[in-house]
Amino acid sequence: MDIGQIEKAANRLRSRTFTTPLMSSTILNKLAGRRILLKPECLQHTGSFKYRGAFNAISNLSKKELANGVVAYSSGNHAQGIALAAQQHQCASVIVMPKDAPQLKINNTRRLGSEVKLYDRAKQSRESIALQLAKERGLTMIKPYDDPMIIAGQGTVGLEIAHEAKSHGVRKADVLVCCGGGGLTSGIALALEANAPCFRARTCEPEGFDDTARSLGQGKICANERLSGGLCDAIMAPHPGELTFPIMRRLCGPGLVVSEDQVLRAMVAAFRHLKLVLEPSGAVALAAALFLKSNMISDPVIAVLSGGNVDASIFAKALATDIDLCALRVDILRRHQKPS
């Protein structure tokens, strides 16, 4: 992988993707005690950055491969990106998705024209199912992160950050990235290395699914003990990719880990102060920017809001958590007030 591949991807995507702006909020800056710039990829086509890599990968297929169709596996965001990109290329697509994926993601993938095959992520291998479908139907496999064309497409996020940060007067910063298998993180890291060498990509993960943070700490690929049961469905990859991990090990700082409670609070903060809807997986980097200690992250810091495909029930849970926390703070204040 090199910057040339990312620049070629940027040319392919120039008229296809939105250049999402860097945003800020005075209130969030005060809450965090640091200046935060936010890259809202939740506003990208299909509600996440995944469309970038999907379109880049499919646009690089031969006429025969397009005619035969593609297969992918995903909990939902890669699925929707592939579905839309395949539709735009008049290419059939089959997506292997876990039964417990957010219903919104399953429904949207079908609405975009893909055939969806559901599986039990605790008992079945999505890779094996997809490989069998590829063999039986002659489909081309497009992996969610361990694919050079996918990494290159996601790297265009980094090109945009490097360009836009200059207009905000930012010359040095950590770039926080919600991380599953590492396609987005490694792509951004490569783009920053070439265009903003004083910027450093940092992986952000939820507790219990921090395989990349542990892998970076130990210098070798480590796996998660669990494959399901977490709030952040889109970044519950079993382990970093074979292609992505060497890039992250070379270019990224230590991994960052946040709690699910912090993720829910970050979702509410984005909704209240930016008027943005984030899914839990897309709010992990913001949670790190808001709640982790000042000596762990740069000031200023840039956080990528990677996706906004959230089921209504989960979003309601986030809002309810915020209400409970507010009530708790009021109760604490009352108990500490002196009697008149």
Side-chain angles (χ1 to χ4, degrees):
M1 282 297 306
D2 58 44
I3 189 61
Q5 291 171 281
I6 298 174
E7 290 171 345
K8 288 179 181 177
N11 288 331
R12 292 190 188 99
L13 296 172
R14 199 172 306 281
S15 63
R16 293 288 182 172
T17 54
F18 300 123
T19 299
T20 52
L22 286 181
M23 305 173 62
S24 63
S25 163
T26 301
I27 294 176
L28 292 186
N29 290 347
K30 289 181 178 179
L31 288 173
R34 59 167 65 92
R35 183 185 178 197
I36 306 174
L37 293 176
L38 302 147
K39 178 75 166 166
E41 281 295 293
C42 52
L43 301 178
Q44 193 55 257
H45 294 298
T46 69
S48 87
F49 71 95
K50 287 287 191 176
Y51 173 75
R52 295 174 183 262
F55 188 90
N56 189 51
I58 290 180
S59 67
N60 196 54
L61 297 179
S62 68
K63 290 183 179 180
K64 181 179 179 180
E65 289 170 327
L66 288 172
N68 289 343
V70 299
V71 62
Y73 47 83
S74 166
S75 67
N77 286 337
H78 180 59
Q80 293 171 87
I82 290 291
L84 177 57
Q87 181 190 88
Q88 291 170 335
H89 285 83
Q90 299 181 326
C91 171
S93 58
V94 183
I95 314 294
V96 180
M97 301 183 70
K99 293 178 180 178
D100 61 350
Q103 195 61 45
L104 175 73
K105 294 180 178 180
I106 295 173
N107 292 343
N108 283 348
T109 303
R110 285 175 170 150
R111 289 187 185 113
L112 288 167
S114 283
E115 177 187 349
V116 173
K117 295 285 189 181
L118 299 177
Y119 77 102
D120 184 337
R121 73 166 102 203
K123 298 178 180 178
Q124 296 175 286
S125 165
R126 62 183 189 173
E127 293 89 345
S128 296
I129 296 170
L131 283 170
Q132 186 63 32
L133 286 167
K135 182 179 179 180
E136 292 173 354
R137 303 191 191 183
L139 305 172
T140 297
M141 171 86 78
I142 302 180
K143 297 179 180 180
Y145 49 85
D146 233 11
D147 180 309
M149 299 302 293
I150 292 292
I151 296 170
Q154 320 308 26
T156 60
V157 176
L159 292 182
E160 292 175 13
I161 289 172
H163 176 73
E164 286 197 56
K166 295 176 184 177
S167 65
H168 290 268
V170 178
R171 297 291 185 271
K172 183 178 181 180
D174 284 338
V175 177
L176 311 188
V177 189
C178 309
C179 185
L184 178 61
T185 309
S186 58
I188 287 176
L190 287 168
L192 295 177
E193 178 187 33
N195 293 274
C198 291
F199 287 43
R200 178 177 63 163
R202 304 286 301 276
T203 64
C204 299
E205 299 169 290
E207 290 177 347
F209 298 91
D210 58 344
D211 51 293
T212 303
R214 288 183 287 108
S215 298
L216 291 172
Q218 297 182 34
K220 62 180 182 180
I221 292 179
C222 301
N224 288 318
E225 293 183 2
R226 293 187 293 152
L227 297 178
S228 63
L231 183 68
C232 302
D233 66 281
I235 54 175
M236 292 194 298
H239 52 73
E242 297 290 339
L243 295 180
T244 62
F245 180 65
I247 298 170
M248 293 188 289
R249 183 174 57 185
R250 182 171 68 86
L251 297 175
C252 295
L256 303 168
V257 182
V258 297
S259 69
E260 289 192 347
D261 179 67
Q262 289 170 331
V263 169
L264 291 169
R265 290 161 64 191
M267 291 170 65
V268 177
F271 179 65
R272 282 189 168 184
H273 305 301
L274 298 166
K275 306 303 179 264
L276 293 175
V277 174
L278 300 180
E279 61 186 284
S281 302
V284 175
L286 177 57
L290 288 173
F291 303 120
L292 294 188
K293 295 178 181 179
S294 59
N295 63 352
M296 297 177 68
I297 302 171
S298 70
D299 182 4
V301 67
I302 299 171
V304 179
L305 312 180
S306 58
N309 294 306
V310 59
D311 276 350
S313 60
I314 298 298
F315 196 65
K317 178 180 179 180
L319 296 177
T321 299
D322 182 66
I323 291 170
D324 290 344
L325 290 170
C326 289
L328 179 61
R329 286 195 292 269
V330 170
D331 182 60
I332 291 172
L333 288 172
R334 284 175 178 169
R335 283 190 279 116
H336 283 81
Q337 284 179 344
K338 293 182 181 180
S340 57

